[in-house]
């Protein structure tokens, strides 16, 4: 890392426009419709039938090798970096061998598959037949199905009932495994190449045999690593051969030279250490592509700290005279590639995500191991290209710290104004790093944290299990619903425990205690069952490619990530809907216990009728007009803080030994839509099944009426930072007011103030409500409008109507 920033280079970056190839890709992407490709399933079936009786570790390795050796490949005219999961510009891959018979549409004859809640992906008859063949072969033996069998042996249908009531997520059939949504070991991959990993695995085999080791599973692991790494190298060579063939037939001199260069790069990486910026980017794409082909249901392509490990390649090439425009075009290509890789997801994810592309994350800037800010010219280039591309993905996070220079902060705000949809978001090093250290992670590891998906912080040296084993989020609003109904969920099932008829409660504390009892019962049961899944899944599934490229420890241990190791695993849970519960409990306390204006019986009758009984709407207006979180009101904010602390204490009290206790991070997604489907009417005035409050620290939409500084006052008073790693706060500003240097200065000051007061995360929608309303009526005229949902961004016109309304009716702040 150089000590000084080259201002002249920043000026050159500022003047860059997208290349012709980047623009051609963007046009092709926007013109392409969703299409399902079944080629991967064809080869998984072939391999699985050929390897019957072999060890599961070797069998999964051979399956991936068969896919990489045979799947159809294509180089498009606009490709700077090559390698795609399907031949299409936008192609949906499936993961039946991982998730089982999880796509209901393949058994219909409608000729399409539901890609999102509101979009269909074309699938012809041949595709459907391949998918059906795969479903028949793998049905009943995948790790999600075998996990459900283990759960049913212990708790019957309880898990299905809890998931149907949206009390927990994700469903196990999402196919999430340890590290599958996290960061790969990019620094080592680029430093030693896959041949270096292969040599390391072979050395372990030779040494273990020489020492007469007795655990043959270690040998199988190292052998599986060699199988998949050799296959990834051969896959790159297939692209080299294709490029050479295309070059030989090419008459255009410039195009021919470009194809010959592509061929040379693919011959060299990822097998060998990267020597240039181009080779580094291409190596990353091939490694990530192999990861995706191993498990397409989790096609997240997380960069981690991309501006750090790529910086030396970038600045060396620049100083050698490589054209800045060439490197920018290549980087834009990879950003584009990773932002539009789609999959066919399960039903739960469609509701909680709204989209079907991986929520890919790149973290920029932040402190380094010397406790210095690490912002550099490549950080600036990332922001510049993201602003020019104006895509809804990747999720770009800026690691804020008090040493962050003004030039990068100003560029980040300008990028927000260009993208409008919360890109980049801001996360606080000075809140997140101490949280890791508080939990026993050394500073040198903690300082390298990056983002998983939307917001969730993770570190590349430990296998992150967040979302794996069916454990990610619990719905506190659903728990409140059960506390108000003696443990009965929204579907009428006794999913909770009997905590008493609230009509008999004489004090608020009795109700609150019932809520905490429901919380402990459900969350501890979910974590217990997660442990059962952890012990079960490795018998039926392995991830040799992800394991060897995911975390350094796997190679030394000789152990697949599906066999968790206590020293190298991290676990997380998100306790969602705290602000909904706080506003609702404040209302109950005020209306029933403090003022005595209503009895609990009357309140429950209004709620159970969804405010549609006689006097229901008048009661709802009273509820809506009560003080709400987000307005700097001490009494309400105190409820948020109390629930935050008590909820965290319940989660942290679960004994996860010998593994670490669950850490807590409160993120976004579009979970508030998903979670709302499991909650009846609430005393905060929200109607049954409507979306909950977005994010985790955001106020109820339209209820934060005292201005943006009051929102920050409430968020700081809630003090989430004392118990969790990150908490999502969304704010919406009118685009019309952020059109001057003065307004940019104000938003920078607003962000700095919140972070310096201990806020861990903030993100901005910079868009006018009227424009959103127009886009809902005339979507074709606004197909590029990006908005921030909970923790990620999406094209507004691709969202469900309920989420569109949610964004429209959030308070539009101004300074």
């Amino acid at each position: 890392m150089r000590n000084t920033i080259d201002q002249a280079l920043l000026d050159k970056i500022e003047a860059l426009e997208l290349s012709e190839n980047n623009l051609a890709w963007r046009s092709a992407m926007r013109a392409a419709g969703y299409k399902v490709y079944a080629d991967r399933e064809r080869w998984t079936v072939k391999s699985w039938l050929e390897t019957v009786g072999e060890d599961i570790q070797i069998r999964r390795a051979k399956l991936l090798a068969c896919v990489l050796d045979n799947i159809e490949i294509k180089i498009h005219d606009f490709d700077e970096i090559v390698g795609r999961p399907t031949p299409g510009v936008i192609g949906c891959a499936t993961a039946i061998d991982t998730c089982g018979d999880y796509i209901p549409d393949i058994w219909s004859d409608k000729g399409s598959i539901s890609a999102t809640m509101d979009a269909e992906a074309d699938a012809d008859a041949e595709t459907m037949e391949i998918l059906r063949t795969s479903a028949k072969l793998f049905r009943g033996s995948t790790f999600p199905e075998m996990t459900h069998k283990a759960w049913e042996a212990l708790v019957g249908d309880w898990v299905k009932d809890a998931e149907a009531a949206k009390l927990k997520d994700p469903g196990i059939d999402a196919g999430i495994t340890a590290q599958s949504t996290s960061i790969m070991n990019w620094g080592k991959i680029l430093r030693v190449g896959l041949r270096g990993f292969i040599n390391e695995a072979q050395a372990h085999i030779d040494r273990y045999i020489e020492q007469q080791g007795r655990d043959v599973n270690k040998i199988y692991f190292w052998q599986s690593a060699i199988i998949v790494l050799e296959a990834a190298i051969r896959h790159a060579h297939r692209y080299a051969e294709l490029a050479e063939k295309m070059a030989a037939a090419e008459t255009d001199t410039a195009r021919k030279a470009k194809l010959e260069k592509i061929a040379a790069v693919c011959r060299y990486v990822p097998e060998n250490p990267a020597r240039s910026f181009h080779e580094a980017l291409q190596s990353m794409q091939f490694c990530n592509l192999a990861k995706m082909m191993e498990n397409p249901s989790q096609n997240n392509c997380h960069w981690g700290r991309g501006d750090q490990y790529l910086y030396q390649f970038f600045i060396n090439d620049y100083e050698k005279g490589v054209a800045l425009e060439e490197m920018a075009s290549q980087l834009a290509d990879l950003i584009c590639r990773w932002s539009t890789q789609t999959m066919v997801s399960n039903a739960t994810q469609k509701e909680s995500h709204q989209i079907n592309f991986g929520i890919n994350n790149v973290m920029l800037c932040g402190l380094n191991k010397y406790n210095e800010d690490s912002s550099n010219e490549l950080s600036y280039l990332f922001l510049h290209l993201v602003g020019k591309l104006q895509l809804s993905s990747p999720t770009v996070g800026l690691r804020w710290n008090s040493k962050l220079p003004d030039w990068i902060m100003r560029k980040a705000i300008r990028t927000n104004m260009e993208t409008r949809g919360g890109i980049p978001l801001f996360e606080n090093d000075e809140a997140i790093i101490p949280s890791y250290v508080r939990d026993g992670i050394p500073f040198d590891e903690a300082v390298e944290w990056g983002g998983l998906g939307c917001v969730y912080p993770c570190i590349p040296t430990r296998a992150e299990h967040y979302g794996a084993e069916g454990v990610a989020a619990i719905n506190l609003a659903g728990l409140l619903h059960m506390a108000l109904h003696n443990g009965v969920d929204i579907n009428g099932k006794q999913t909770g425990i009997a905590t008493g008829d609230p009509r008999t409660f004489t004090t608020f504390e009795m109700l609150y205690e019932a809520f905490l009892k429901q919380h402990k019962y459900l969350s501890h049961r979910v974590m217990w069952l997660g442990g059962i899944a952890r012990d079960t899944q490795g018998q039926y599934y392995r991830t040799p490619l992800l394991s060897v490229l995911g975390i350094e420890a796997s190679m030394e241990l000789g152990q697949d990530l599906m066999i968790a190791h206590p020293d190298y695993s991290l676990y997380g849970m998100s306790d969602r809907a705290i602000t909904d519960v706080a506003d609702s409990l404040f209302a109950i306390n005020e209306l029933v216990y403090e003022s005595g204006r209503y009895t609990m019986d009357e309140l429950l009758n209004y709620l159970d009728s969804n405010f549609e009984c006689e006097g229901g709407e008048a009661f709802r207006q009273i509820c809506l007009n009560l003080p709400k979180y987000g307005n700097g009101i001490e009494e309400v904010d105190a409820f948020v803080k109390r629930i935050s602390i008590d909820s965290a204490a319940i989660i942290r009290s679960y004994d996860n030994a010998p593994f670490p206790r669950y850490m807590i991070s409160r993120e976004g997604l579009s979970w508030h839509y998903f979670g709302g489907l499991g909650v009846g009417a609430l005393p905060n005035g929200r109607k049954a099944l409507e979306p909950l409050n977005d994010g985790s620290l955001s106020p109820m939409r339209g209820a934060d009426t005292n201005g943006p500084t009051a929102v920050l006052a409430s968020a700081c008073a809630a003090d989430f930072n004392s118990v969790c790693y990150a908490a999502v706060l969304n704010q919406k500003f009118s685009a019309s007011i952020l059109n001057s240097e003065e307004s940019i200065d104000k938003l920078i000051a607003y962000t700095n103030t919140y972070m310096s007061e201990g806020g861990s995360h903030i993100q901005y929608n910079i868009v006018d409500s009227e424009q959103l309303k127009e886009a809902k009526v005339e979507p074709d005229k606004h197909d590029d409008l990006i908005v921030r949902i909970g923790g990620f961004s999406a094209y507004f016109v691709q969202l469900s109507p309920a989420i569109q309304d949610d964004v429209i009716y959030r308070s539009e702040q101004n300074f």
Side-chain angles (χ1 to χ4, degrees):
M1 178 70 67
R2 299 187 306 170
N3 293 325
T4 59
I5 296 297
D6 185 340
Q7 183 59 50
L9 176 53
L10 296 184
D11 292 341
K12 290 179 181 178
I13 292 172
E14 192 63 32
L16 284 174
E17 297 294 336
L18 295 177
S19 71
E20 291 184 7
N21 284 331
N22 298 154
L23 293 171
W25 171 87
R26 191 166 67 176
S27 296
M29 180 271 294
R30 289 178 173 175
Y34 288 120
K35 182 179 179 182
V36 176
Y37 288 83
D39 199 27
R40 178 183 177 277
E41 300 295 348
R42 186 198 309 273
W43 300 109
T44 60
V45 168
K46 179 179 185 297
S47 175
W48 205 243
L49 291 173
E50 291 175 346
T51 58
V52 173
E54 296 189 46
D55 182 82
I56 185 65
Q57 189 77 41
I58 300 299
R59 206 174 181 198
R60 291 301 309 186
K62 288 184 176 180
L63 180 147
L64 177 58
C66 186
V67 170
L68 294 176
D69 285 342
N70 293 285
I71 198 166
E72 182 182 355
I73 63 173
K74 183 175 182 178
I75 298 175
H76 295 266
D77 289 344
F78 44 73
D79 282 348
E80 301 267 0
I81 305 297
V82 300
R84 298 175 185 276
T86 71
V89 179
I90 303 290
C92 298
T94 57
I96 291 172
D97 60 299
T98 297
C99 299
D101 186 6
Y102 76 108
I103 312 171
D105 290 339
I106 67 173
W107 304 107
S108 74
D109 295 319
K110 65 179 184 176
S112 64
I113 289 173
S114 173
T116 70
M117 292 180 64
D118 298 291
E120 295 289 308
D122 293 336
D124 57 30
E126 181 184 8
T127 294
M128 288 295 200
E129 187 57 36
I130 294 170
L131 296 179
R132 289 170 181 173
T133 299
S134 181
K136 291 173 184 176
L137 175 64
F138 290 102
R139 180 193 295 153
S141 61
T142 60
F143 80 82
E145 293 164 291
M146 301 309 290
T147 300
H148 266 296
K149 289 178 182 178
W151 286 347
E152 287 170 2
L154 296 168
V155 297
D157 289 335
W158 184 87
V159 175
K160 293 179 180 178
D161 291 342
E163 291 178 354
K166 316 302 183 188
L167 293 169
K168 68 166 288 286
D169 69 279
I172 200 76
D173 60 340
I176 302 174
T177 64
Q179 199 71 7
S180 66
T181 58
S182 197
I183 304 164
M184 290 207 289
N185 192 352
W186 295 122
K188 183 176 180 181
I189 290 168
L190 300 179
R191 186 175 68 254
V192 307
L194 299 193
R195 184 61 59 191
F197 283 88
I198 291 169
N199 293 340
E200 186 179 349
Q202 187 61 55
H204 277 293
I205 293 173
D206 295 343
R207 188 180 309 114
Y208 200 70
I209 293 174
E210 180 182 348
Q211 295 172 349
Q212 297 187 350
R214 288 187 261 177
D215 186 356
V216 71
N217 292 304
K218 292 182 180 292
I219 298 294
Y220 289 154
F221 173 77
W222 291 316
Q223 288 176 341
S224 74
I226 293 172
I227 291 169
V228 295
L229 294 170
E230 291 283 12
I233 292 169
R234 291 195 302 271
H235 189 61
H237 290 175
R238 290 181 64 205
Y239 276 93
E241 291 162 5
L242 177 58
E244 289 164 353
K245 182 179 179 181
M246 293 172 67
E250 183 59 61
T251 57
D252 181 88
T253 304
R255 174 65 175 159
K256 186 182 187 74
K258 179 182 176 182
L259 288 166
E260 288 173 343
K261 182 177 180 182
I262 288 173
V265 170
C266 295
R267 285 284 178 205
Y268 194 78
V269 294
E271 180 172 9
N272 300 296
R275 301 167 298 186
S276 67
F277 191 63
H278 185 179
E279 288 182 352
L281 297 178
Q282 184 62 73
S283 182
M284 291 174 68
Q285 173 58 9
F286 278 133
C287 291
N288 185 66
L289 186 56
K291 169 186 176 286
M292 289 178 60
M293 289 294 97
E294 189 168 53
N295 181 2
S297 69
Q298 293 304 316
N299 68 350
N300 304 70
C301 327
H302 292 312
W303 300 72
R305 304 188 72 184
D307 61 340
Q308 302 304 304
Y309 57 78
L310 286 170
Y311 179 75
Q312 210 56 53
F313 296 104
F314 169 74
I315 206 66
N316 286 349
D317 279 9
Y318 178 73
E319 291 176 349
K320 289 176 183 176
V322 178
L324 177 62
E325 292 80 4
E326 179 183 337
M327 291 191 288
S329 185
Q330 292 161 356
L331 179 58
D333 186 295
L334 195 59
I335 292 171
C336 296
R337 190 76 49 94
W338 287 12
S339 68
T340 53
Q341 294 172 153
T342 62
M343 76 286 200
V344 178
S345 57
N346 72 329
T348 298
Q349 283 186 300
K350 289 172 186 174
E351 292 177 339
S352 63
H353 288 58
Q354 298 275 317
I355 53 169
N356 70 324
F357 56 79
I359 304 176
N360 307 307
N361 191 307
V362 56
M363 295 303 298
L364 304 177
C365 309
L367 297 171
N368 60 24
K369 63 182 179 181
Y370 305 109
N371 209 31
E372 300 168 340
D373 181 76
S374 60
S375 305
N376 60 42
E377 298 94 336
L378 184 55
S379 317
Y380 199 89
L381 179 60
F382 263 107
L383 290 172
H384 184 76
L385 292 175
V386 166
K388 290 293 182 183
L389 288 166
Q390 296 186 353
L391 301 171
S392 65
S393 182
T395 292
V396 182
L398 195 81
R399 282 181 42 173
W400 184 95
N401 63 86
S402 56
K403 302 173 184 178
L404 192 74
D406 182 71
W407 58 267
I408 197 72
M409 189 66 180
R410 191 165 294 275
K411 182 63 172 177
I413 295 298
R414 289 189 177 280
T415 304
N416 258 272
M417 294 171 67
E418 288 185 275
T419 59
R420 293 174 290 180
I423 304 173
L425 57 81
F426 301 89
E427 289 195 88
N428 190 351
D429 266 357
E430 294 171 6
I432 293 172
I433 294 172
S435 295
Y436 274 117
V437 174
R438 181 179 64 211
D439 278 350
I441 303 296
F443 175 84
D444 284 358
E445 286 187 72
V447 79
E448 298 301 331
W449 73 274
L452 183 163
C454 306
V455 171
Y456 191 97
C458 60
I459 51 178
T461 49
R462 311 282 175 114
E464 179 56 64
H465 287 251
Y466 180 73
E469 294 98 37
V471 184
I474 53 170
N475 186 345
L476 268 62
L479 297 178
L480 176 60
H481 177 93
M482 291 201 300
L484 291 170
H485 296 85
N486 201 14
V488 176
D489 67 30
I490 192 171
N491 296 322
K493 298 290 183 70
Q494 186 72 42
T495 309
I497 56 173
T499 49
D501 183 347
R503 294 172 179 83
T504 67
F505 296 164
T506 57
T507 66
F508 172 79
E509 293 303 323
M510 293 176 69
L511 174 63
Y512 189 66
E513 184 63 23
F515 165 70
L516 294 182
K517 286 180 179 178
Q518 298 292 348
H519 186 334
K520 184 174 182 178
Y521 174 76
L522 184 126
S523 58
H524 281 212
R525 180 170 263 215
V526 166
M527 289 183 277
W528 166 56
L529 293 170
I532 301 298
R534 182 171 59 224
D535 294 339
T536 302
Q537 294 175 354
Q539 302 173 48
Y540 306 98
Y541 192 75
R542 300 294 171 87
T543 56
L545 189 282
L546 177 64
S547 296
V548 75
L549 298 183
I551 65 168
E552 188 99 29
S554 293
M555 184 73 85
E556 187 65 33
L557 293 170
Q559 185 169 303
D560 196 278
L561 285 171
M562 294 297 294
I563 313 297
H565 192 284
D567 294 342
Y568 300 100
S569 298
L570 291 179
Y571 296 82
M573 178 176 276
S574 186
D575 44 353
R576 310 298 293 268
I578 289 176
T579 59
D580 304 79
V581 173
D583 283 342
S584 296
L585 287 177
F586 178 88
I588 294 173
N589 189 47
E590 173 64 27
L591 296 174
V592 176
Y593 296 107
E594 291 290 331
S595 69
R597 292 172 63 187
Y598 298 91
T599 66
M600 181 63 78
D601 184 65
E602 289 173 323
L603 181 140
L604 289 174
N605 286 338
Y606 286 130
L607 297 182
D608 291 343
S609 73
N610 199 23
F611 304 110
E612 293 174 0
C613 63
E614 183 178 351
E617 181 56 31
F619 178 75
R620 177 171 177 261
Q621 292 302 317
I622 291 171
C623 293
L624 288 170
N625 289 320
L626 285 171
K628 294 285 190 294
Y629 162 80
N631 292 289
I633 301 171
E634 183 178 348
E635 293 81 2
V636 186
D637 298 343
F639 272 74
V640 181
K641 182 176 182 178
R642 181 182 183 184
I643 296 165
S644 168
I645 292 172
D646 291 344
S647 174
I650 288 172
I651 293 170
R652 297 286 288 179
S653 71
Y654 180 76
D655 184 0
N656 197 39
F659 298 92
R661 293 187 186 275
Y662 276 80
M663 58 181 275
I664 299 164
S665 184
R666 296 162 178 165
E667 56 170 353
L669 295 170
S670 59
W671 182 93
H672 57 298
Y673 170 83
F674 167 85
L677 298 175
V679 183
L682 289 175
N684 64 355
R686 169 198 159 276
K687 286 194 168 185
L689 308 185
E690 286 185 350
L692 298 163
N693 300 347
D694 66 88
S696 55
L697 258 181
S698 301
M700 185 179 185
R701 57 190 168 278
D704 44 336
T705 57
N706 285 356
T709 56
V711 175
L712 295 194
S714 287
C716 290
D719 192 27
F720 278 21
N721 182 43
S722 66
V723 296
C724 80
Y725 281 60
V728 173
L729 174 60
N730 279 312
Q731 284 284 269
K732 176 180 165 188
F733 285 91
S734 168
S736 59
I737 70 163
L738 292 177
N739 55 8
S740 68
E741 287 300 314
E742 181 184 5
S743 60
I744 292 173
D745 289 339
K746 288 181 179 179
L747 193 55
I748 290 173
Y750 184 77
T751 308
N752 290 341
T753 297
Y754 181 53
M755 294 304 199
S756 63
E757 291 297 320
S760 63
H761 167 282
I762 195 166
Q763 58 196 17
Y764 303 112
N765 267 314
I766 303 177
V767 61
D768 295 326
S769 296
E770 289 305 312
Q771 184 182 11
L772 295 172
K773 292 176 182 177
E774 291 172 9
K776 188 176 180 182
V777 176
E778 299 183 284
D780 292 345
K781 295 182 179 180
H782 300 273
D783 59 357
D784 61 347
L785 179 60
I786 301 170
V787 294
R788 201 72 174 174
I789 310 305
F792 72 101
S793 300
Y795 294 107
F796 181 78
V797 298
Q798 293 180 0
L799 299 169
S800 64
I803 287 293
Q804 288 180 331
D805 287 342
D806 171 66
V807 177
I808 288 171
Y809 294 111
R810 294 176 191 175
S811 295
E812 189 173 294
Q813 306 285 11
N814 56 69
F815 294 116

